[in-house]
């Protein structure tokens, strides 16, 4: 069995964990890390451009979602499969899939989009729950955990030194925001707190803002999710299905991307959401053995 | 979009629920029920042989597991996809897959095996958990709920009038058996209880046997499962993943079979365990809409 050569694009929280996950994978080798920012890490070969790496089968794009529609086609055009963690649900996901499907088919390669835990494995769970109990209601509850998007939005407010925003589950798919801020001038706290609450990221949620001396001390990468479905199958109207995960966020995201990188080498050319991939293809090893042990 | 014509083979607990699930499916029609035993149900067309039904795309085999290796090939040879709830894990599952793969490819049709909640969707969950956290331990805890296999084994003991065996979870993948018996002669109870405990089905588990007047009053189709994984992804060693379901057993089994019947019409010829099927193919409707709404 040919080993899979994987490169990691971006060396932030997720990129660093992706390197760890690849090192643990029995069927993969790290081709290298592609990072434009200067990185000094003796443990991994960091290059400025993918062309400096040889024989790359798959690129894990550990980059911001908004950069994916520009970067992924460049890799696909070079004959490299891509895996991204694109996390903008709805129309954006559908149009990314359409765009990359065309690129991937042109170069005879594959792209896996939205490969994280949500979207990603959570999306698969939501579909499985509907396959077991087609009528009913599903609630997805996130947290407690840091939201990168909300933290960045809070940090962008003038007079802010640093900020993090936690997502707190209230129950049944509803959430509160818990924002910790370090400001230039404590006298301006009330005004800054008001601006956060009026920001489009926060305006629809109940938001608490707390002034602290050192936001750095509060940063933690733990996260979680609870997916609940109350459903019906056939004549039974009390089917209760529940998925609960307590996760180190960047590690889980990186690992799902690495598992998707493996699957990308087993698919026909095209672009796939995680739910379009046979789950068995995410795992290393022989199919019959997996069926023997896990089915 | 062509509607899918499905027949149900067997009209026991699962077969009856499969009929209900097909009636609720927006993209399916019930071709009829095939049942050798005399059944008088004005709600559904019951026939003695599948040849009496027209244009059947898929047969749901709601029959005992041991009958599947004989019955499924007959349907495949007629050009009908099959879905079964074969539940003997390990070698038997692997050899059934090999056998039906050959039959299915010969007639250009598909067979989905082990389509229930365990094996079936639980198997998919176990694989997804490994894709998120490849190192670690998974515990599957069943119940409380009635075990058909154990109940049948208890009923076969001489002097027994009726019996049911419940599976009770003790935790971390271990189980106790709770058997309720109605006997011909109450004076023989101790002897009968001993025979149950020595039966191969029970000999490895802690088993309690209770004498009752009427086993019928205790029969209930509720069941449940808790799958727990304590895993590691990358450098994170405290990933906790948990699936919990409380189910009406025959309804959930039947519904997964019906969802798999849909998927069977979207696959290349061959035999598949549920984990080899893209989860999105289990659901009705347009792929792009599902990605828009659920990913």
């Amino acid at each position: 069995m040919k080993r899979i050569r994987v490169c990691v694009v971006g060396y932030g929280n997720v990129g660093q964990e992706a390197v760890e996950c690849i090192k643990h994978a029995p069927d993969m080798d790290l081709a290298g890390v592609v990072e434009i920012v200067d990185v000094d890490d003796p443990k991994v070969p960091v290059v400025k451009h993918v062309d400096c790496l040889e024989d790359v089968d798959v690129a894990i794009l550990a980059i911001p979602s908004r950069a994916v529609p520009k970067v992924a086609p460049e890799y696909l055009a070079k004959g490299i499969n891509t895996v991204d963690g694109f996390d903008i649900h709805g129309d954006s996901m559908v149009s990314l899939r359409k765009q990359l499907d065309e690129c991937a088919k042109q170069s005879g390669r594959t792209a896996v989009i939205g490969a994280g835990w949500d979207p990603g494995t959570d999306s698969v769970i939501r579909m499985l729950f509907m396959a077991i109990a087609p009528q009913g209601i599903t609630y997805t509850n996130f947290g407690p955990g840091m939201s990168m998007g909300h933290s960045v939005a809070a940090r962008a407010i003038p007079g802010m030194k640093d900020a993090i925003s936690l997502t707190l589950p209230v129950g049944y798919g509803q959430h509160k925001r818990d924002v910790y801020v370090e400001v230039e001038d404590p006298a301006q706290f009330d005004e800054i707190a008001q601006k956060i609450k009026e920001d489009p990221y926060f305006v629809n949620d109940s938001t608490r803002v707390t002034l602290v001396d050192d936001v750095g001390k509060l940063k933690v990468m733990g996260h979680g999710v609870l997916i609940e479905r109350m459903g019906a199958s056939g004549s039974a109207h009390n089917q209760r299905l529940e998925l609960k995960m307590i996760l180190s966020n960047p590690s889980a995201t990186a690992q799902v991307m690495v598992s998707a990188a493996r699957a990308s080498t087993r698919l026909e050319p095209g672009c796939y959401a995680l739910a379009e991939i046979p789950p068995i293809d995410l795992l290393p090893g022989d199919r019959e053995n997996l069926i023997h042990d896990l089915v």
Side-chain angles (χ1 to χ4, degrees), chain A:
Chain A
M1 194 99 138
K2 191 188 164 289
R3 294 175 65 80
I4 307 167
R5 280 179 59 83
V6 186
C7 79
V8 176
V9 183
Y11 203 53
N13 291 322
V14 172
Q16 288 172 47
E17 278 300 294
V19 168
E20 289 304 312
C21 296
I22 292 164
K23 284 182 182 168
H24 282 89
D27 53 349
M28 290 184 182
D29 293 312
L30 179 70
V33 171
V34 182
E35 176 58 280
I36 305 149
V37 178
D38 276 320
V39 169
D40 190 22
D41 189 334
K43 289 179 300 181
V44 292
V46 181
V47 298
K48 293 280 175 204
H49 197 281
V50 66
D51 291 347
C52 308
L53 300 175
E54 273 173 28
D55 301 327
V56 179
D57 297 310
V58 193
I60 294 196
L61 307 181
I63 59 177
S65 285
R66 289 185 204 287
V68 169
K70 187 181 165 291
V71 174
E74 296 169 7
Y75 281 79
L76 290 167
K78 288 179 195 295
I80 298 171
N81 292 351
T82 61
V83 174
D84 64 63
F86 191 79
D87 68 351
I88 310 168
H89 302 252
D91 290 339
S92 304
M93 189 69 74
V94 171
S95 59
L96 178 68
R97 180 167 167 275
K98 212 172 272 179
Q99 183 205 347
L100 298 191
D101 195 55
E102 208 167 291
C103 302
K105 281 175 177 160
Q106 266 172 21
S107 55
R109 305 301 288 180
T110 59
V112 182
I113 61 171
W117 54 274
D118 201 313
T121 50
D122 278 3
S123 319
V124 176
I125 300 286
R126 283 188 284 267
M127 290 189 192
L128 281 179
F129 281 5
M130 290 181 72
I132 300 169
Q135 280 172 261
I137 296 167
T138 300
Y139 298 106
T140 302
N141 307 283
F142 294 108
M146 199 161 64
S147 161
M148 298 310 292
H150 289 79
S151 299
V152 168
R155 263 173 233 143
I157 286 167
M160 193 75 79
K161 273 169 80 179
D162 199 1
I164 57 169
S165 175
L166 267 75
T167 304
L168 305 181
V170 180
Y172 303 104
Q174 302 199 308
H175 300 89
K176 282 189 182 176
R177 306 289 165 189
D178 198 17
V179 189
Y180 294 87
V181 299
E182 208 180 312
V183 297
E184 305 282 357
D185 175 8
Q188 292 197 311
F189 170 71
D190 287 347
E191 199 185 320
I192 285 173
Q194 193 52 36
K195 278 194 181 139
I196 292 174
K197 291 178 183 179
E198 288 165 2
D199 185 280
Y201 262 92
F202 295 92
V203 73
N204 295 317
D205 297 319
S206 159
T207 301
R208 180 176 71 170
V209 184
T210 305
L211 184 65
V212 297
D213 290 336
D214 185 356
V215 163
K217 282 186 181 167
L218 305 179
K219 284 181 184 165
V220 64
M221 293 295 175
H223 216 307
V225 68
L226 171 66
I227 303 179
E228 299 166 295
R229 183 167 179 84
M230 181 176 171
S233 17
S235 67
H237 279 257
N238 193 18
Q239 310 288 54
R240 305 292 180 126
L241 303 92
E242 199 178 293
L243 173 94
K244 190 176 169 185
M245 300 200 293
I246 298 172
L247 297 169
S248 174
N249 189 358
S251 309
T253 303
Q255 183 60 60
V256 175
M257 293 176 93
V258 168
S259 298
R262 173 179 299 117
S264 81
T265 66
R266 300 171 175 180
L267 298 165
E268 293 297 307
C271 177
Y272 301 80
L274 210 63
E276 297 178 275
I277 299 173
I280 203 168
D281 286 336
L282 297 167
L283 302 183
D286 173 72
R287 219 173 233 232
E288 278 198 2
N289 289 343
L290 290 169
I291 289 169
H292 184 279
D293 295 344
L294 295 171
V295 168

